[in-house]
């Protein structure tokens, strides 16, 4: 039976099934309880409202029917659940479809029973039905390796700026901030697309999501709904009122820290001057942001830090310097799963061919046999073109592998997260012939990726 053919009996009175809007309150309560720091803490108000919003039908990338749950039929409780966001990313300019499992939660009394594995079987089947090329998740350490995921590019990380390390404001200010409006979206979208050209893998942001970012933030309840999206958009303007950049921040503080997710300016605008002026004005807005935070989380309602949580190679970090941004936060990483590696490699074939054409191996012909120890792949090239990608397994006799990688570790090379040399230096079972190493370095050079989560 297909994993998507639900409901499914899991035994012990537990049933796996797809959710409906009628399950909203129980799924929201499960998340609000599962992510508490301590068992005695009350349910998290943020999660109650956030999950309610995600199941409302207003979000452009997920709906109630994209949640899957485990229900204890004897008590009526929802004891485990997760959802699947639908996104489109790009690899070196080539679009591909992504299924994003998120909001994975299990009641503490029901853990270690294989419920999340059953949920992921269903989510992977749903993702396949949507014709997603990969699945990706921003999850807890190690856990999702069990389901075929590997860490493949940076997640978050950046630099901390303290209000006291910023220079004193000058008058008149060279730049100022104003709230963005839907009329600013073409300007913001163009700058966002310009910024992501630096990234091997990046997220397309559909127009529907940009517009969804302008949710009603006039009440604590609606502000909570905006918590995980973190899309408070402001425009940087010059003294004439001309838009010269944009800023995307959190709606309120998280642990006394204001997250700054994007800061971009138009060509010719001094990034350092515009950024410092924008950060100074965010500090000036601190009392308003603190008031909003206080209605949600009184324990963390003091603006102590500005977290420039952008790509780890953002030029702003260098030009601000350690005096203004004295503390670095190391990034975590995205997990990615590629269920059909031959299909994905064929999809990105044009990018591989471009790299080959620009290299000393232009017009290369031959096979590249990759051994993943349990299975493998053979990439065939003719006159610089990728003509086939087929499953391959090392035989007892005959043709041998050109390179070997432990299961899933090849994804780090594929997505530019680690170079072949770095992988070989770390893992003794990553191997390559001299000729294969040259070809792999050309096809899969180390490149930076920054992908934003559209929650």
């Amino acid at each position: 039976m297909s994993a998507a053919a639900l409901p499914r009996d899991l035994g012990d009175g537990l049933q796996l099934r797809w959710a409906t809007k009628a399950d909203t309150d129980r799924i929201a309560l499960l998340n609000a309880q599962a992510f508490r720091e301590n068992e005695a803490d009350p349910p998290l108000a943020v999660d109650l409202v956030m999950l309610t919003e995600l199941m409302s039908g207003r979000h452009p990338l997920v709906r109630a029917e994209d949640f899957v749950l485990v229900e204890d039929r004897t008590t009526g409780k929802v004891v485990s659940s997760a959802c699947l966001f639908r996104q489109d990313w790009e690899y070196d300019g080539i679009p591909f479809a992504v299924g994003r499992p998120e909001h994975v939660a299990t009641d503490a009394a029901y853990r270690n029973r294989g419920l999340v594995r059953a949920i992921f079987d269903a989510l992977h089947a749903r993702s396949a039905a949507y014709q997603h090329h990969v699945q990706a998740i921003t999850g807890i350490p190690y856990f999702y390796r069990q389901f075929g995921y590997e860490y493949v590019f940076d997640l978050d990380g950046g630099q901390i700026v303290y209000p006291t390390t910023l220079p004193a404001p000058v008058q008149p200010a060279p730049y100022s901030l104003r709230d963005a409006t839907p009329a600013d979206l073409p300007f913001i979208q163009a700058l966002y697309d310009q910024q992501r050209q630096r990234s091997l893998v990046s997220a397309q942001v559909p127009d529907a999501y940009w517009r969804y970012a302008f949710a009603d933030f006039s009440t604590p309840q609606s502000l909570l709904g905006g918590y995980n999206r973190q899309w408070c958009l402001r425009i940087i303007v010059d003294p004439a009122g001309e838009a010269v950049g944009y800023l995307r921040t959190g709606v309120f503080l998280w642990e006394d820290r204001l997250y700054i997710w994007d800061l971009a300016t138009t060509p010719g605008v001094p990034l350092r001057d515009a950024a410092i002026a924008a950060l100074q004005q965010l500090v000036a807005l601190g009392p308003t942001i603190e008031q909003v935070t206080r209605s949600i989380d009184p324990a963390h309602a003091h603006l102590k830090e500005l977290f420039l949580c952008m790509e780890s190679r953002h030029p702003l970090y260098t030009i601000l310097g350690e005096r203004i941004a004295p503390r670095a936060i190391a990034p975590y990483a995205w997990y990615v799963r590629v269920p059909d590696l031959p299909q994905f490699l064929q999809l990105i074939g044009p990018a591989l061919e471009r790299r080959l054409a620009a290299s000393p191996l232009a017009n290369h012909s031959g096979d590249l046999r990759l051994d993943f120890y349990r299975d493998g792949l053979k990439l065939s090239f003719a006159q610089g073109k990728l003509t086939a990608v087929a499953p391959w397994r090392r035989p007892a006799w005959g043709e041998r592998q050109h390179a070997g990688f432990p299961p899933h570790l090849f994804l780090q090379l594929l997505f530019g997260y680690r170079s072949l040399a770095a992988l070989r230096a770390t893992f003794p079972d990553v191997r390559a012939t001299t000729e294969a190493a040259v070809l792999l370095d050309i096809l899969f050079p180390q490149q930076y990726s920054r992908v934003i989560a559209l929650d």
Side-chain angles (χ1 to χ4, degrees), residues 302-322:
H302 305 284
L303 176 56
K304 296 179 180 178
E305 301 175 348
L306 302 170
F307 185 15
L308 300 174
C309 190
M310 302 179 290
E311 60 196 86
S312 65
R313 300 180 185 179
H314 197 288
L316 183 59
Y317 302 151
T318 300
I319 61 177
L320 286 182
E322 291 185 1

Side-chain angles (χ1 to χ4, degrees), residues 352-353 356-357 361-365 381-386:
L352 305 184
E353 292 169 359
L356 201 54
L361 292 185
N363 297 314
H364 171 75
S365 296
F381 294 88
Q383 298 299 307
K385 300 298 181 184
L386 181 63

Side-chain angles (χ1 to χ4, degrees), residues 148 401 414:
Q401 76 274 22
L414 169 62

Side-chain angles (χ1 to χ4, degrees), residues 385-437:
K385 300 298 181 184
L386 181 63
T387 57
V389 183
W392 178 82
R393 188 162 189 166
R394 184 181 63 185
W397 312 102
E399 60 182 14
R400 311 303 292 171
Q401 76 274 22
H402 297 116
F405 301 84
H408 311 308
L409 199 61
F410 175 70
L411 297 182
Q412 293 198 9
L413 188 72
L414 169 62
F415 287 98
Y417 190 45
R418 297 285 183 264
S419 68
L420 178 63
L423 291 174
R424 294 174 78 177
T426 306
F427 301 96
D429 45 4
V430 173
R431 301 186 174 194
T433 66
T434 301
E435 295 79 6

Side-chain angles (χ1 to χ4, degrees), residues 170-180 234-247 265 269 273-282 285:
V170 298
Q171 296 298 333
Y175 301 95
S176 58
L177 293 179
R178 65 167 173 82
D179 292 340
R234 293 183 175 92
I235 300 297
I236 303 172
V237 298
D238 65 14
E242 187 74 20
V244 298
Y246 85 97
L247 194 66
T265 56
V269 172
D273 294 349
I276 288 175
L279 296 177
Q280 289 167 338
Q281 290 177 57
L282 285 177
L285 290 169

Side-chain angles (χ1 to χ4, degrees), residues 3 18 25 39 46 69 77 120 125 149 154 158 175 286 296 315-316 319 382 385 389 424:
W18 295 108
D25 290 346
E39 186 178 3
V46 164
L69 61 86
K77 285 182 61 176
F120 267 69
Y149 289 78
D154 285 354
Y175 301 95
I296 298 158
L316 183 59
I319 61 177
K385 300 298 181 184
V389 183
R424 294 174 78 177

Side-chain angles (χ1 to χ4, degrees), residues 224-251:
L224 284 165
Y227 155 71
N228 214 33
R229 294 197 306 277
Q230 295 286 1
W231 281 61
C232 183
L233 296 168
R234 293 183 175 92
I235 300 297
I236 303 172
V237 298
D238 65 14
E242 187 74 20
V244 298
Y246 85 97
L247 194 66
R248 178 169 67 92
T249 74
V251 177

